[in-house]
Amino acid sequence: MPFWQATIFPTACYLLLKSTMNLKLSRRSLVKICALALALAAPLAQAQIAAEATAPAARPRIALVLSGGGARGFAHIGVLRALKKMRVPVDIVVGTSMGAVVGGAYAAGRSAEELEQTIRDTDWERVLADRPARYELDFRRKEEDVLLPSRIEFAVTKAGASLPAAAAGNAALETALTRLLPAGMRDHPIDRLALPFRSVASDLLSGELVELSDTPLLLSLRASLAVPGVFAPVRIRQRLVVDGGLVSNLPVELARSMGADVVIAVNVGTPLAKESELSSAIDVSKQMLQILTEQNVQRSIKQLGGKDILIAPDLTGVSFLDFGQFERTIQAGEDAAKKMQAQLLAFSIPDTQYAALEYQRLTAFAPDKAATSALPLARIEVQSGGHINPQALIAQSGLHSGQAATPAQVRQAAARLYGRGDLDNVDTEISDADGRRNVLIKPTEANSSRNRLRVGLELASDFSDGNRFALSVMHVASSLNSYGGELRSIARIGNQRQFGSQLWQPLAAGSPWYLAPSLEFSGGSGDLFNQGRKIYRVSGRSSSASLVFGRQLDNWGDLQIGVSRRFAKFSVILPEDPALPGAQNYDTTQFARFRVDTLDSLAFPVRGNLVDAVLERSPSKGPQEPSLARSQIEGLSAFQYGDWAGHLYGEWSRAQRGQAPVSLGGFLRLSGTSADSLEGNTVALGRAVIARRVGAMPAAVGGAIRLGFSAELGGAFGAEQTRYSGNIKQAGSAFLSMDTRFGPLYFGAGATRGNGSSLYLFLGPIW
C-alpha cells in the first residue's frame, strides 16, 4: 500500500470522525467524510512523496549498466526483480542492445513484473521472422508463396544479386518494442525521462560509438538492438547505426560520465566458443565478432572500482537467439543478483524512501489526453524519394482525410505497408494543430524493391516409381509505372518444365481493380491410369495466353473473371505402339475465380482459412459437340490448441463430361494410393490433420518441427454412377514435418484401406 494511504489518509479520516462523534450521522455521510479526508490528504501526501524522492540524501548515486546479449538479456528482468526485493535504488540506467531495451522500458515506467508478462505474451518467432506475419502480407505476396513456397530471396541490382540487409523484418520488432513501453512513450525523448537513461549504438560506416541521448525512446531502443545480419540498420541524424555491442557492450564509462558513484553492471554476453565448437565457417565468423565484443566488455570490467558490483548470470546452454527460454533466463538473472546480496544490501534504503522513488518512476509520465485521442486527419503525406508512387502508399494504408484516428491507429495503418514486401522501414510522424491531426509517412524502400529473385528446390519421392525434382526461379519486377505495375515471371526445370510471365496492372495508383495478361509454356511427362493401374506414359507440351480482369479484396482475397486460349500436344511414349497416335487441340476457356487466403503459413498452418473456387466453361467447337463446364472448390481451416495444431480440408471437383480438373492419390490425398492415379467425372476429398510441435529449427534456417497424423476420406466417380458410397476410400498417414526456408519438408508413411501403403519424402511443394 502506498505511504499516503497507509498513514495520512487513515489519520485524516480518524480526526474528522472524532470531531463528529456526538452527531448522529448515517453510513453514507460517514463515507462522504472519509472521501473529504482523502481529498485533503492527497495533496499533502503527493508533496511528501516528492520531497522524499528529491530531497538530498547521503547515499551514492547508483547506475545500473545492462549489457547486450540477445535473448540472454532477459536475465536483466530477473536482476530488476531482485533489486526491488532488496530495495536497492537505481538512479541511472545505461544499456546496450537488449540491455537498452529492458533498461529503457524500466526507465520509462515499466515494472519488472510488467516486463516479464510482456515478454511472455510476445510471439518471438514472429519477431525474428524475415517479413511480417503471412496473414498481414499483401495478397500478391501470399500468391507468390503458393506459386513457389521457398523463402530464399535475393535483391537484383546493377551490382548483381545480393541477400537482404537483415535476416529479420522490422514490423514485428517495432510492434514488440512498442508493447514493452508504457502507453504514449514510444516517441518520448529519452533525455526527458524521470529516470536518466542512455543507450549506445555503433556507426556502421566509421565504427564510432554513438550515444543516443536526444532521440525518441523507441528509435533509441530499435537502433541499439540492430544486430548486424539479424535486424536492419537504422538511420539517425544521417548516421547509419547498428547494435552498440560492437563498440561498448557494457558501457560502464558512459554511466560514469552521467554522474554515477556506484555501478551495478550486469554482463549477459555470450562467452567465446571452445575449439570443439568451431566446426564451420559460420562458427568461425561468429567467433570473430564475439572476440571483438568480449574485448570491449573486458575493458569495461577493468573500469569497475571497489564499490562497484558485477553480476554475471549463469546462462549456460542459452544462445543469443534462444528467446523461448525466457523463464529460465529471467530466473538466472534473479539468482545471480541474490548471490551478490551481501554487497547489494549495503545500498538498500528504507521502505518509505524506496516506495517514494518507485512512485515517482512509475507515475512521472502521463500522456497528454489529446495526444492519445482520436482526431480528424487533416493532411496525409508520404515523403518518398524512391520509385513507389506516394498515392499508392496512401491508398494502401487505408488512411483518408476527415477520418478520425488515434496515433496508435495511424501507426497501425502505416505498418500495413510492410505487407507490400518492398519496404525496409516505415517511419510515421504525427503532429496535431487546431484539433486536427497531420500525418507524414516516411518509407524506406528495400534494395530489392524493384527486382526480387526467389529460388526454390522441389524434391518428391514415394521410394518406388514416383520420383520427381525441379529447380524453380521466380523474378518479380515492381513499380514499373506510376500505377504500380508488376511483372512476375516463373521458370522451372526438372521432370516438369515451365516458363510463364504475367503483367499485373492496377487501373489507378493504389486501386484494387486490375488487368493481368499472361503467357505460359510448359512441358513434361506423366502417367495415365485406368482403375488405379498405370497403362500409359504420355509426353506433352502446351502454350497458353490469358487475360484476367480482377479485384483484390483488401489483403485477404481476390475475385477474377477472364479468358484463356490454349494449345496442347500429347504423344504416348510408353508402351511404344504406332497404333497409338498423338493428339493436339486448341481450347478456349472462360472462367471466374474467387480466392480467400488468411493462412499464417503454407508449410503447416495453425490459424486462418483458405478458399479457392473456380468455375470454367469451354464453348462448343461445333454443332455436334456441346460446351464443357467444369467446377472446383477447395477449403481449408486451420486451428491450434497449445502445442497441437492442424487443419480440416475439403475438396470437390466436377466436369460436365470427361475427367474432373483434379485427381487423387499421393501424400494427404489418400496417402497409400499412387499419386494422381484416381480420376473421374467427379472427385471428392476430405481430411483432418493434427500434429504436435516437438521442436524448432534455428531461426535462420527454418521454423517448427512437428510430429503428426492424418485421416482421409475420398474417391473419384464416373458420370454414370448415381451412388458414390462404394467408391469412397479411407486412408491415413503419419509424418514428421519441418518448416525450412526452402519450403515444407515432410517424411511420412501412408496407407489406403484395401489399396496398399507408401512412404513419402518431399521438399518444396504444398500438399
Side-chain angles (χ1 to χ4, degrees), residues 274-344:
K274 300 178 181 178
E275 182 178 354
S276 59
E277 298 172 330
L278 303 176
S279 57
S280 68
I282 295 178
D283 293 333
V284 173
S285 299
K286 290 167 58 180
Q287 182 81 336
M288 292 174 63
L289 289 174
Q290 191 55 43
I291 288 173
L292 296 175
T293 303
E294 185 63 20
Q295 285 178 342
N296 73 61
V297 167
Q298 292 304 318
R299 287 195 299 269
S300 297
I301 291 176
K302 290 179 181 179
Q303 296 174 9
L304 297 175
K307 296 185 298 182
D308 301 326
I309 299 173
L310 176 64
I311 300 175
D314 181 5
L315 298 171
T316 304
V318 180
S319 73
F320 183 85
L321 294 175
D322 275 344
F323 288 89
Q325 297 197 52
F326 60 86
E327 290 186 353
R328 174 190 166 190
T329 306
I330 293 173
Q331 188 60 49
E334 184 171 4
D335 293 342
K338 287 180 179 178
K339 290 181 180 180
M340 308 301 293
Q341 182 169 338
Q343 295 94 317
L344 289 170

Side-chain angles (χ1 to χ4, degrees), residues 444-461:
T444 302
E445 295 186 20
N447 63 341
S448 60
S449 61
R450 300 204 72 194
N451 286 282
R452 293 181 290 112
L453 190 69
R454 181 181 294 195
V455 179
L457 181 66
E458 299 179 11
L459 300 172
S461 175

Side-chain angles (χ1 to χ4, degrees), residues 678-695:
L678 297 181
E679 296 180 320
N681 174 259
T682 301
V683 171
L685 173 69
R687 69 166 176 257
V689 175
I690 190 168
R692 189 178 193 278
R693 183 187 176 111
V694 295

